[in-house]
C-alpha cells in the first residue's frame, strides 16, 4: 500500500491481520463496530464481544503480535 495502491483482504486469522494490516475494519453482525490501527481495534473488549476470546497482545521487534489465549464463552 506504500505505492498509493490498496489491498483489501478478508481474514478470520487475527494473528495474520494484526501482523500485516495497517488498518482493520471489524464487522460484527453485518455492522461496522471498529475501524483503525490493529492495536486500537483489537482491544480486549472487542476480542471478547466479537470473537469470545481472550488474547495476549505484545510487541516483538516493533511489530504487534496477537496470541489467542482462551475461549471466554
Amino acid at each position: 500500500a506504500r505505492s498509493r495502491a490498496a489491498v483489501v483482504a478478508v481474514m478470520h486469522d487475527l494473528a495474520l491481520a494484526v501482523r500485516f494490516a495497517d488498518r482493520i475494519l471489524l464487522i460484527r453482525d453485518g455492522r461496522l463496530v471498529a475501524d483503525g490501527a490493529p492495536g486500537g481495534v483489537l482491544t480486549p473488549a472487542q476480542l471478547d464481544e466479537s470473537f469470545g476470546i481472550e488474547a495476549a497482545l505484545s510487541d516483538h521487534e516493533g511489530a504487534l503480535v496477537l496470541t489467542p489465549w482462551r475461549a471466554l464463552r
Side-chain angles (χ1 to χ4, degrees):
R2 294 186 197 335
S3 64
R4 300 183 54 89
V7 174
V8 176
V10 176
M11 295 185 181
H12 293 98
D13 186 325
L14 300 176
L16 283 176
V18 165
R19 178 68 181 95
F20 295 107
D22 297 321
R23 177 179 173 196
I24 291 180
L25 282 72
L26 181 59
I27 299 170
R28 183 174 58 240
D29 298 326
R31 295 181 185 233
L32 181 65
V33 295
D35 174 4
V41 171
L42 297 177
T43 63
Q46 287 290 17
L47 292 169
D48 178 8
E49 291 172 28
S50 297
F51 302 101
I53 65 165
E54 180 180 351
L57 288 166
S58 59
D59 178 273
H60 179 72
E61 298 180 358
L64 186 61
V65 177
L66 182 142
T67 305
W69 190 247
R70 65 179 167 163
L72 296 174
R73 305 183 218 138

